[in-house]
């Protein structure tokens, strides 16, 4: 016991002080580097996950050069929930089937090839118009908060020491708009898996197409210059913010003027239904059915009215949510 006391007095205090100093040093170092280590670890995990997805992906996205095919590709990739390479083929199959079925049915019903061809074109355009409605809804949602995202991006770009990728990542975390957050996450993921300049440009073009405004085009060019050429674009971002703020009031006035056209398009539905009801009560049930469907011209007019009413409603749905643009 005397030896233990002698050791504690002689060496124990020194060891205790050394251990205390070591613990304080480790805690201090941990506090200083914890956030940066976590950030680097998260970046490494994300890069590994994306690299694994890229290496295990058996079907690569094609670089479509034809403008029409490229437009359909962007439209489907933007509006479809599941991203599949077969989406373009499926879209053309659905459109072709609608066109061919309508052409055959109309020709057999009315015996007029020109009218059947015209009606088949209108029906074949309906899948494309539906995708346009989805795209317009997305663009409207994105455009409503587009100014705020550029403001957040400028702040994060400055705090990230002019690193555009990390500025985009931090901005995506702060965005409240779900649709806008998904657009940013898709852009970040596409930039990560891009292996060359062509794929980087394709990713940014898809972002521009999704937003669908001249502001988005300018922002896409700014992101491209910063990400690809490592240029400092903070002043350009601030200039873009100022220009958008100056034109927002004018855009709100233009949107209010478009409401009349929107309601006129919706008005065709009750007018068409009211005309059928009025004809029914004026001519009687049996006579109305014979007059409406017993003659080829009245039957043709009925089909044309239905198709035009559908297009009127679709057009109103597109105009109802205009994009935020100059």
């Amino acid at each position: 016991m005397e030896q233990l006391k002698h050791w504690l007095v002689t060496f124990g205090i020194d060891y205790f002080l050394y251990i205390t100093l070591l613990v304080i040093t480790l805690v201090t170092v941990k506090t200083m580097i914890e956030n940066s280590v976590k950030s680097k670890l998260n970046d490494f995990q994300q890069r590994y996950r994306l690299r694994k997805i890229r290496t295990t992906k058996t079907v690569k996205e094609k670089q479509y050069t034809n403008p029409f095919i490229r437009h359909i590709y962007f439209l489907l990739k933007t509006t479809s929930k599941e991203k599949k390479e077969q989406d373009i083929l499926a879209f053309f199959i659905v459109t072709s089937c609608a066109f061919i079925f309508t052409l055959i049915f109309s020709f057999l019903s009315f015996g007029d090839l020109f009218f059947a061809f015209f009606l088949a074109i209108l029906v074949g355009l309906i899948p494309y118009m539906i995708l346009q409605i989805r795209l317009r809804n997305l663009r409207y949602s994105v455009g409503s908060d587009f100014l705020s995202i550029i403001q957040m991006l400028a702040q994060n770009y400055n705090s990230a020491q002019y690193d555009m990728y990390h500025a985009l990542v931090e901005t995506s975390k702060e965005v409240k708009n779900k649709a806008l957050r998904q657009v940013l996450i898709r852009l970040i993921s596409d930039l990560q898996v891009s292996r060359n300049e062509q794929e980087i440009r394709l990713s940014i073009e898809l972002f521009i197409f999704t937003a669908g405004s001249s502001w988005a085009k300018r922002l896409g060019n700014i992101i491209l210059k910063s990400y690809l050429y490592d240029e400092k674009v903070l002043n350009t971002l601030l200039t873009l913010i100022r220009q958008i703020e100056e034109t927002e009031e004018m855009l709100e006035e233009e949107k209010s003027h478009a409401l009349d056209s929107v309601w006129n398009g919706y008005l065709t539905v009750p007018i068409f239904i009211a005309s059928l009801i009025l004809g029914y009560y004026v001519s009687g049930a049996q006579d109305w059915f014979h007059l409406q469907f017993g003659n080829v011209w009245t039957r043709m007019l009925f089909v044309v009215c239905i198709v035009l009413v559908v297009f009127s409603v679709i057009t109103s749905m597109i105009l109802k949510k205009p994009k935020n643009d100059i």
Side-chain angles (χ1 to χ4, degrees):
M1 181 61 69
E2 292 296 331
Q3 293 180 351
L4 179 60
K5 291 181 180 180
H6 177 73
W7 184 87
L8 290 174
V9 173
T10 307
F11 302 104
I13 296 176
D14 294 336
Y15 280 114
F16 175 76
L17 293 176
Y18 283 137
I19 293 173
T20 303
L21 179 61
L22 179 62
V23 171
I24 293 174
T25 303
L26 291 176
V27 172
T28 304
V29 172
K30 176 180 177 297
T31 305
M32 294 175 61
I33 69 174
E34 183 178 14
N35 292 331
S36 60
V37 170
K38 285 184 177 180
S39 177
K40 292 295 183 181
L41 182 60
N42 291 334
D43 288 344
F44 175 77
Q45 291 176 346
Q46 184 179 16
R47 290 174 184 272
Y48 174 77
R49 179 178 59 84
L50 294 173
R51 191 180 298 113
K52 184 177 180 181
I53 293 174
R54 186 177 63 186
T55 54
T56 57
K57 193 175 182 181
T58 57
V59 180
K60 298 180 181 179
E61 291 184 349
K62 298 179 180 179
Q63 303 292 328
Y64 297 102
T65 56
N66 184 278
F68 176 71
I69 302 297
R70 192 180 184 88
H71 172 75
I72 298 298
Y73 166 74
F74 280 165
L75 185 60
L76 290 171
K77 190 176 175 84
T78 302
T79 57
S80 300
K81 295 181 180 180
E82 297 182 0
K83 315 302 179 187
K84 297 180 180 179
E85 195 66 23
Q86 295 82 7
D87 284 346
I88 294 181
L89 179 61
F91 172 79
F92 282 113
I93 289 176
V94 171
T95 303
S96 301
C97 289
F99 174 83
I100 294 173
F101 176 79
T102 305
L103 180 64
I104 296 174
F105 179 79
S106 301
F107 180 72
L108 294 177
S109 299
F110 307 116
D112 190 330
L113 182 60
F114 177 79
F115 174 76
F117 186 78
F118 173 75
L119 191 64
I121 291 177
L122 293 180
V123 175
L125 285 174
I126 291 179
Y128 175 79
M129 299 292 287
I130 293 174
L131 292 179
Q132 280 290 337
I133 292 175
R134 294 181 184 177
L135 179 63
R136 284 302 183 111
N137 291 337
L138 180 60
R139 285 178 174 178
Y140 181 81
S141 180
V142 171
S144 60
D145 292 331
F146 199 72
L147 176 60
S148 62
I149 183 182
I150 301 180
Q151 292 171 339
M152 287 186 288
L153 181 62
Q155 295 174 357
N156 292 324
Y157 178 72
N158 187 35
S159 61
Q161 301 299 318
Y162 311 118
D163 188 329
M164 180 55 71
Y165 172 76
H166 285 88
L168 288 170
V169 173
E170 292 301 320
T171 303
S172 66
K173 297 177 182 178
E174 300 174 8
V175 173
K176 305 297 183 182
N177 188 319
K178 184 178 179 180
L180 187 53
R181 189 188 308 116
Q182 291 298 325
V183 172
L184 284 177
I185 292 175
R186 184 193 297 124
L187 174 62
I188 294 168
S189 301
D190 289 344
L191 289 176
Q192 272 295 322
V193 300
S194 298
R195 292 157 293 184
N196 50 51
E197 180 177 343
Q198 186 178 12
E199 292 185 356
I200 292 174
R201 290 182 178 273
L202 181 65
S203 302
I204 295 177
E205 286 179 14
L206 180 62
F207 168 76
I208 295 173
F209 180 84
T210 303
S213 65
S214 59
W215 303 127
K217 187 174 182 180
R218 292 183 59 182
L219 179 60
N221 292 330
I222 292 172
I223 295 174
L224 181 64
K225 289 180 180 179
S226 177
Y227 187 83
L228 191 59
Y229 303 111
D230 201 24
E231 295 183 13
K232 293 183 179 180
V233 294
L234 181 59
N235 291 333
T236 311
L237 283 173
L238 296 177
T239 301
L240 180 59
I241 292 172
R242 185 171 63 254
Q243 291 175 348
I244 295 178
E245 290 174 342
E246 292 173 353
T247 57
E248 271 201 333
E249 183 177 353
M250 178 185 66
L251 292 174
E252 290 299 327
E253 294 179 357
E254 293 181 356
K255 291 177 182 178
S256 62
H257 294 326
L259 289 178
D260 294 337
S261 301
V262 172
W263 290 115
N264 289 336
Y266 286 130
L267 194 61
T268 57
V269 177
I271 290 177
F272 177 66
I273 296 175
S275 65
L276 296 178
I277 296 174
L278 180 62
Y280 178 85
Y281 280 104
V282 169
S283 59
Q286 186 174 359
D287 293 338
W288 176 84
F289 188 85
H290 176 74
L291 290 172
Q292 184 66 64
F293 300 102
N295 186 278
V296 64
W297 293 106
T298 55
R299 193 165 61 245
M300 183 185 299
L301 182 62
F302 180 79
V303 173
V304 171
C305 288
I306 290 179
V307 174
L308 292 180
V309 166
V310 171
F311 266 84
S312 177
V313 173
I314 291 176
T315 303
S316 296
M317 294 175 69
I318 292 175
L319 294 176
K320 184 180 179 180
K321 296 182 178 180
K323 59 183 179 181
N324 187 19
D325 198 7
I326 56 176

